Amino acid sequence: MEFQIDATSQGARACTIKTAHSTILTPVFMPVGTQGTVKALDANDMLELGAKIILGNTYHLYLRPTSKLIKKFGGLHGFSKFPNSFLTDSGGFQAFSLSDNSKPDENGIMFKSHIDGSKHYFTPKSVLDTQYELNSDIMMILDDLVALPNTDERIKKSIERTTKWAKEAIDYHMEQKSKGIGTHQNIFAIIQGGTSKEFRKLSAQQLCDMSDFDGFAIGGLSVGEPNQDMYDTVEWTTQFMPKEKPRYLMGVGTPEDLIENIERGVDMFDCVMPTRNARNGTLFTTFGKLNIKKAQFKEDDKPIDACCECYTCKNFTRAYLNHLLRAGEITYFRLASIHNIHYYLDLMRKAREAILIDNWEEFKKEFYTKRSK
Amino acid sequence: MEFQIDATSQGARACTIKTAHSTILTPVFMPVGTQGTVKALDANDMLELGAKIILGNTYHLYLRPTSKLIKKFGGLHGFSKFPNSFLTDSGGFQAFSLSDNSKPDENGIMFKSHIDGSKHYFTPKSVLDTQYELNSDIMMILDDLVALPNTDERIKKSIERTTKWAKEAIDYHMEQKSKGIGTHQNIFAIIQGGTSKEFRKLSAQQLCDMSDFDGFAIGGLSVGEPNQDMYDTVEWTTQFMPKEKPRYLMGVGTPEDLIENIERGVDMFDCVMPTRNARNGTLFTTFGKLNIKKAQFKEDDKPIDACCECYTCKNFTRAYLNHLLRAGEITYFRLASIHNIHYYLDLMRKAREAILIDNWEEFKKEFYTKRSK
């Protein structure tokens, strides 16, 4: 992975990341394609939207269609036909989101498949083996993520485990690379520590000392804590992260969350929000969110967002989308998802432009002013 | 509507129909867009597929979003953004398919809305008023359709009512046209009569005597009778239909049904089969149907149909589609629907080519030979 900082503005960074499959300009939002597709869309839709990197979920893909099968098709790129970069998570987040069916111990996480109940033990090494098969451009280490609020004891255990697993992961990856496996794949560690300054500092220092990692993520946020705590934790944590490597805030968030965290030095984001919200009727616009299902849009002949140049806004009215959603037409899901992803990607493009001309403060002010109208 | 016969071959006809919105080459299959969209697809998808006419359901659109609303958007073309032709049915078929919530009498059909239980009385005139609002290019008359098998008495009543309603409809339409309403819209009558030669002849003669109709449909088939009875009924009925007007076989059918009925002189077809089957996993190919969900396709790196040039076949493998369907990904529905509609439209294009060069017998033989392999 090549990485360079192109510009900074008020703490916000504009960087360039080059992987084997694409050049990624940051700040970047990575749409989530859990099961090998971004929901309701296909590879060409993502290319049309200008996505240079999307996320796949290791846990889901390992179970179905299996990473072994995906490997036969040339990895995620060959299987899904999306030619740009993939980042794959490790399953650590699923241990949290599917906690009824998972149990971490000192050496890994035991999962009970949500598909057929079969048991699968994920270790720091096994999740890399899976990600080698998926052939993702950026692999995440297995981490031990905890819900917030939580006890100091549990958070401490989380960072201890995560550091131990990170060491195992990076040693294994360097060994594999020396054997010619995953040589073009990159690996990121994940900083844990809840919202505690002390724990975040400790986790960041321990992980960032392992200089073979290609980038560092902040994990374990956006899991129930107040927004301001998330912002404060990110602001605190980034100071312990190396400037010369990408910084990725996992699972975040709203457009406001992105703006606030870009300002705090984050380069990369992912979240199911644009696609999940689209399916529920919540659409993002320059002027804030709207619920397209509302009666007020029934006869509205305007596009979702007058400022938007996405396929959906260029072609269809709010009234038509309101009808499709109310009538239960599948067509709605694609059109709404295209719009919301375009909104997120375009916001990142505009943020980058502002950073490049050192105009962050003005950009941020305008972002909030339009939304309060 | 302009209509001309371009060529015939073994009873099969290749015709050209010009409406205010498109030039339609026959034989033509009209994809079904019940609620203002072909399920899982949008207007541009239909254009990409080369569809010159799609079908909308008057009953559904009248209830939601209402034909009044659609009129405000410039009819179905303005509302859905599909610029080519629309044919709208009358609600007569819904009296059959939603028979628990409908009751015909001598003057029309009482419907209980499947959405909110409200009552709506459809008459020969009211369904035209609705279709004027929808601004469809081809409007169908209200007909009284019965399930098969049925009693002679009930079938007789069905053709009596249908003739009476047809007379009311054509008189009303001529009157409305003289007032400048629906002047570019065309109206088709619907022949009923079950599988009885006597009743079909009677119905065809009564309706075809009303020379102001722009075309004639054969209705009330594909409702439970054996396939051969349908073919025999069509063969018998077409001899009583004028050569110089389009012939439309409603709600039919499988690829084999289309081939058999083209040979019997039918020009137009519609059916939910390609889209509904797509959603269930049944995909049409040159070599017959396949169920993409089957385990045998899990690792199949071939396209659905090696002979197919649709978007889906050019881009994605059977393995990927198998995975998307099994994983419950919405993306699957669009890709599968594109393929199946392409299959139907392409079959019609090839049928037309064969008719134009008077090669029907050879074409039909090849169609069946490939499927039996």
Side-chain angles (χ1 to χ4, degrees):
Chain A
M1 173 185 282
E2 290 177 40
F3 177 81
Q4 71 174 46
I5 301 170
D6 304 314
T8 63
S9 180
Q10 305 275 335
R13 299 155 41 117
C15 311
T16 300
I17 300 170
K18 282 189 193 169
T19 72
H21 289 97
S22 65
T23 296
I24 302 156
L25 304 177
T26 79
V28 65
F29 177 81
M30 303 179 282
V32 176
T34 297
Q35 302 188 112
T37 187
V38 175
K39 287 201 189 302
L41 306 178
D42 70 20
N44 290 310
D45 291 327
M46 297 316 296
L47 287 177
E48 282 288 315
L49 283 161
K52 302 298 182 197
I53 179 167
I54 64 179
L55 188 143
N57 288 115
T58 289
Y59 165 81
H60 291 84
L61 294 165
Y62 161 86
L63 289 178
R64 183 175 58 196
T66 76
S67 46
K68 285 196 176 17
L69 186 148
I70 289 175
K71 184 182 180 180
K72 287 187 191 167
F73 284 80
L76 278 169
H77 308 85
F79 188 60
S80 73
K81 301 296 164 77
F82 180 69
N84 293 336
S85 297
F86 278 91
L87 179 147
T88 44
D89 67 0
S90 62
F93 183 77
Q94 278 67 38
F96 162 77
S97 62
L98 308 171
S99 58
D100 289 347
N101 285 315
S102 67
K103 197 173 157 48
D105 62 34
E106 295 315 310
N107 299 309
I109 302 168
M110 177 63 83
F111 284 99
K112 205 173 101 184
S113 162
H114 68 290
I115 300 168
D116 63 7
S118 56
K119 289 195 170 168
H120 303 269
Y121 191 61
F122 281 29
T123 70
K125 292 180 186 174
S126 82
V127 300
L128 289 184
D129 286 337
T130 303
Q131 292 177 86
Y132 294 138
E133 291 181 326
L134 297 174
N135 196 29
S136 50
D137 300 275
I138 301 176
M139 307 183 292
M140 303 304 298
I141 61 156
L142 191 67
D143 57 340
D144 183 34
L145 188 147
V146 296
L148 293 180
N150 218 314
T151 62
D152 276 6
E153 194 186 10
R154 182 64 188 90
I155 296 172
K156 189 166 176 236
K157 187 189 281 281
S158 149
I159 65 167
E160 282 170 3
R161 272 186 192 154
T162 300
T163 296
K164 175 174 173 258
W165 295 354
K167 184 79 177 72
E168 286 174 45
I170 194 66
D171 287 350
Y172 184 64
H173 182 54
M174 298 317 280
E175 186 192 314
Q176 293 304 103
K177 273 173 81 167
S178 73
K179 293 181 193 165
I181 295 167
T183 48
H184 67 280
Q185 292 180 269
N186 302 284
I187 184 168
F188 282 23
I190 305 173
I191 299 163
Q192 291 293 344
T195 52
S196 149
K197 284 190 169 184
E198 186 195 345
F199 287 146
R200 281 285 167 184
K201 181 180 175 185
L202 191 65
S203 181
Q205 287 178 332
Q206 288 177 347
L207 295 172
C208 298
D209 271 355
M210 301 181 206
S211 59
D212 285 327
F213 279 114
D214 301 290
F216 295 93
I218 302 175
L221 288 177
S222 203
V223 292
E225 78 286 0
N227 262 10
Q228 192 58 49
D229 287 5
M230 184 229 290
Y231 302 158
D232 292 346
T233 304
V234 170
E235 187 164 351
W236 169 259
T237 307
T238 46
Q239 65 179 304
F240 305 107
M241 297 166 75
K243 281 197 167 46
E244 70 282 6
K245 287 184 180 173
R247 299 162 174 175
Y248 164 28
L249 178 56
M250 301 185 79
V252 174
T254 64
E256 291 82 354
D257 289 341
L258 268 55
I259 296 301
E260 291 301 329
N261 288 301
I262 290 169
E263 186 170 84
R264 287 161 174 82
V266 174
D267 308 312
M268 303 167 71
F269 302 88
D270 81 283
C271 193
V272 295
M273 188 168 279
T275 42
R276 183 175 292 169
N277 277 12
R279 297 196 302 280
N280 295 335
T282 302
L283 303 178
F284 294 97
T285 85
T286 317
F287 308 98
K289 289 186 290 188
L290 59 81
N291 184 343
I292 196 66
K293 208 171 182 174
K294 282 191 178 170
Q296 71 186 92
F297 300 120
K298 266 192 181 176
E299 302 201 4
D300 192 333
D301 65 359
K302 295 190 290 298
I304 301 167
D305 184 344
C307 305
C308 179
E309 303 217 321
C310 83
Y311 170 77
T312 305
C313 285
K314 278 192 293 186
N315 286 281
F316 302 101
T317 62
R318 291 171 170 181
Y320 189 58
L321 295 164
N322 171 284
H323 166 64
L324 293 179
L325 177 55
R326 284 174 176 252
E329 287 289 349
I330 305 172
T331 303
Y332 165 80
F333 298 115
R334 177 167 177 265
L335 298 180
S337 299
I338 285 173
H339 171 80
N340 272 2
I341 290 179
H342 180 274
Y343 176 85
Y344 268 68
L345 298 186
D346 202 49
L347 183 64
M348 294 301 94
R349 282 189 283 263
K350 287 170 179 158
R352 179 178 169 86
E353 283 165 26
I355 298 164
L356 289 178
I357 58 167
D358 197 9
N359 193 39
W360 179 259
E361 203 164 317
E362 188 67 27
F363 168 76
K364 187 182 163 187
K365 192 176 147 196
E366 195 184 325
F367 169 80
Y368 279 113
T369 306
K370 281 186 178 161
R371 298 168 92 76
S372 61
K373 268 177 189 163
Chain B
M1 172 185 282
E2 289 176 40
F3 178 80
Q4 71 174 46
I5 300 170
D6 303 314
T8 62
S9 182
Q10 305 274 334
R13 300 154 40 118
C15 312
T16 300
I17 300 171
K18 282 189 193 170
T19 71
H21 289 96
S22 66
T23 296
I24 302 155
L25 303 176
T26 79
V28 64
F29 177 81
M30 303 179 282
V32 176
T34 297
Q35 301 188 113
T37 187
V38 175
K39 286 201 189 304
L41 305 178
D42 70 20
N44 291 310
D45 291 327
M46 297 316 297
L47 287 177
E48 281 288 315
L49 283 160
K52 302 299 182 197
I53 179 166
I54 64 178
L55 187 143
N57 287 114
T58 289
Y59 165 81
H60 291 83
L61 294 165
Y62 161 86
L63 289 178
R64 182 174 62 197
T66 76
S67 46
K68 285 196 176 14
L69 187 149
I70 289 175
K71 185 182 180 178
K72 287 187 189 166
F73 284 79
L76 278 168
H77 309 85
F79 187 60
S80 74
K81 300 297 164 78
F82 181 69
N84 293 335
S85 298
F86 277 92
L87 179 146
T88 44
D89 67 0
S90 62
F93 183 76
Q94 278 67 37
F96 162 77
S97 62
L98 308 170
S99 57
D100 289 346
N101 284 315
S102 66
K103 197 174 157 48
D105 62 33
E106 295 315 309
N107 299 310
I109 302 170
M110 178 63 84
F111 284 100
K112 205 172 102 184
S113 161
H114 68 290
I115 301 169
D116 63 8
S118 57
K119 290 195 171 169
H120 303 269
Y121 192 61
F122 281 28
T123 69
K125 291 179 186 174
S126 81
V127 300
L128 289 184
D129 286 337
T130 302
Q131 294 178 85
Y132 294 138
E133 291 181 326
L134 297 174
N135 196 29
S136 50
D137 300 274
I138 301 176
M139 308 183 290
M140 303 304 298
I141 60 156
L142 191 67
D143 58 339
D144 182 35
L145 189 147
V146 297
L148 294 179
N150 218 314
T151 60
D152 275 6
E153 193 187 10
R154 181 64 187 91
I155 296 172
K156 190 166 174 236
K157 186 190 281 281
S158 149
I159 65 168
E160 281 169 3
R161 273 186 191 154
T162 299
T163 296
K164 176 173 171 257
W165 294 355
K167 184 80 178 73
E168 285 174 44
I170 194 65
D171 287 350
Y172 183 64
H173 182 52
M174 298 317 280
E175 184 193 315
Q176 292 304 102
K177 273 174 82 168
S178 72
K179 293 181 194 166
I181 295 168
T183 49
H184 66 280
Q185 291 180 270
N186 302 284
I187 184 169
F188 281 24
I190 306 172
I191 299 163
Q192 292 293 343
T195 51
S196 148
K197 285 190 170 183
E198 185 195 345
F199 287 146
R200 281 284 168 185
K201 181 180 175 186
L202 190 65
S203 180
Q205 287 179 332
Q206 287 176 349
L207 295 172
C208 298
D209 271 354
M210 301 182 207
S211 59
D212 285 327
F213 279 112
D214 301 290
F216 295 92
I218 302 174
L221 289 176
S222 203
V223 292
E225 79 285 1
N227 261 10
Q228 192 58 50
D229 288 3
M230 183 228 290
Y231 303 156
D232 292 345
T233 304
V234 170
E235 186 165 349
W236 168 259
T237 307
T238 45
Q239 65 179 304
F240 305 108
M241 297 166 76
K243 283 197 166 46
E244 70 282 5
K245 288 184 180 174
R247 299 162 174 175
Y248 164 29
L249 178 57
M250 301 184 78
V252 173
T254 64
E256 292 82 355
D257 289 341
L258 268 54
I259 296 300
E260 292 300 329
N261 288 300
I262 289 169
E263 186 171 85
R264 287 162 175 81
V266 173
D267 308 311
M268 305 167 71
F269 302 89
D270 80 283
C271 193
V272 295
M273 188 168 279
T275 43
R276 182 175 292 169
N277 277 12
R279 297 196 302 280
N280 295 337
T282 302
L283 303 178
F284 294 96
T285 85
T286 317
F287 308 98
K289 289 187 290 188
L290 59 81
N291 183 344
I292 196 66
K293 207 171 183 175
K294 282 191 176 169
Q296 72 186 89
F297 300 120
K298 266 192 179 176
E299 303 200 6
D300 191 334
D301 64 0
K302 295 189 291 298
I304 300 166
D305 183 344
C307 305
C308 179
E309 303 219 319
C310 84
Y311 170 78
T312 305
C313 285
K314 279 192 293 185
N315 286 281
F316 302 101
T317 61
R318 289 171 171 181
Y320 189 57
L321 294 165
N322 172 285
H323 165 64
L324 293 179
L325 177 56
R326 284 174 175 252
E329 288 289 349
I330 305 173
T331 302
Y332 165 80
F333 298 114
R334 176 165 175 267
L335 298 180
S337 298
I338 285 173
H339 171 79
N340 272 3
I341 290 180
H342 180 274
Y343 176 85
Y344 267 69
L345 298 186
D346 203 49
L347 183 63
M348 295 299 95
R349 284 188 283 264
K350 287 170 179 158
R352 179 177 168 87
E353 283 165 27
I355 297 165
L356 289 178
I357 58 168
D358 196 8
N359 193 37
W360 180 259
E361 202 163 320
E362 189 65 26
F363 168 77
K364 187 182 164 188
K365 192 175 147 196
E366 196 184 324
F367 169 81
Y368 279 113
T369 306
K370 282 186 177 160
R371 299 169 92 75
S372 61
K373 268 180 190 164

